[in-house]
Amino acid sequence: LAASVTLGMVALTSLPWYAAQLMPDVWLPAGAVALYLLAFRTGAFRAWERWLLGFIVAFAIAGHMATLAVMMGLLAALLFWFLVAGRWISPRPALRNPTLAVMAGVLLILTGNLLIAGRFTFTPGGENFLFGRLVQTGIAKRYLADHCPDPKLRVCSFQNLPDKGDDWLWDETSPLWR
């Protein structure tokens, strides 16, 4: 019955599209729970299980840059909790394993981008999304109209920009792809 319902949802709804759009973010809850377990329940796990929890945190961070921001915020909250927990009747979080897991996630992002894009950076294509926004608002076309022809600006040869930022980013005839 469950398989039939699942197949029906896949065939008759937009569920596959939403799942594809949200896929990188799906690891955030798992990463947050793993970070909690590393901070407050680390003694309940064997060494290989702690490694697995750390890998889950690192993998979640590598899946989406917003997850890195959330994990850094959670680490800051854990540090604050650690500093003031002595005044409260509550357990103090362990900081070493959660910090190592987040650092591993950062290293995984940087290494993955080095292997994929050839650059040891957080967002190797981020400037293209920014320029797509400039295309979408019309700022890029106005700039080119005001400053071209200028031999110093290589972008002057692409004055025929698309009207939409999505077309700049994803259309195969876009100057970005040329």
Side-chain angles (χ1 to χ4, degrees), residues 16-104:
W17 184 84
Y18 284 107
Q21 296 301 310
L22 300 174
M23 193 52 69
D25 298 334
V26 78
W27 284 98
L28 176 60
V33 170
L35 196 74
Y36 164 80
L37 292 172
L38 287 171
F40 291 102
R41 302 288 187 249
T42 194
F45 298 99
R46 297 181 187 116
W48 70 269
E49 293 169 323
R50 288 191 298 272
W51 277 96
L52 181 60
L53 289 170
F55 177 77
I56 291 170
V57 171
F59 188 76
I61 289 171
H64 201 282
M65 288 298 297
T67 303
L68 173 60
V70 171
M71 293 299 179
M72 295 295 283
L74 289 174
L75 265 183
L78 286 174
L79 177 61
F80 175 75
W81 189 322
F82 180 83
L83 295 174
V84 298
R87 298 179 190 166
W88 299 342
I89 302 174
S90 64
R92 291 178 93 179
L95 295 177
R96 188 189 75 168
N97 288 340
T99 303
L100 289 173
V102 171
M103 289 171 53

Side-chain angles (χ1 to χ4, degrees), residues 9-22:
M9 290 175 67
V10 167
L12 302 173
T13 70
S14 58
L15 180 64
W17 184 84
Y18 284 107
Q21 296 301 310
L22 300 174

Side-chain angles (χ1 to χ4, degrees), residues 91-129:
R92 291 178 93 179
L95 295 177
R96 188 189 75 168
N97 288 340
T99 303
L100 289 173
V102 171
M103 289 171 53
V106 168
L107 188 61
L108 192 57
I109 289 173
L110 296 172
T111 304
N113 287 335
L114 177 65
L115 294 173
I116 293 168
R119 293 172 54 194
F120 193 72
T121 184
F122 284 107
T123 54
E127 62 273 3
N128 293 316
F129 288 98

Side-chain angles (χ1 to χ4, degrees), residues 165-177:
D166 281 346
D167 292 340
W168 165 259
L169 291 169
W170 311 116
D171 188 356
E172 293 175 3
T173 62
S174 164
L176 175 63
W177 293 96

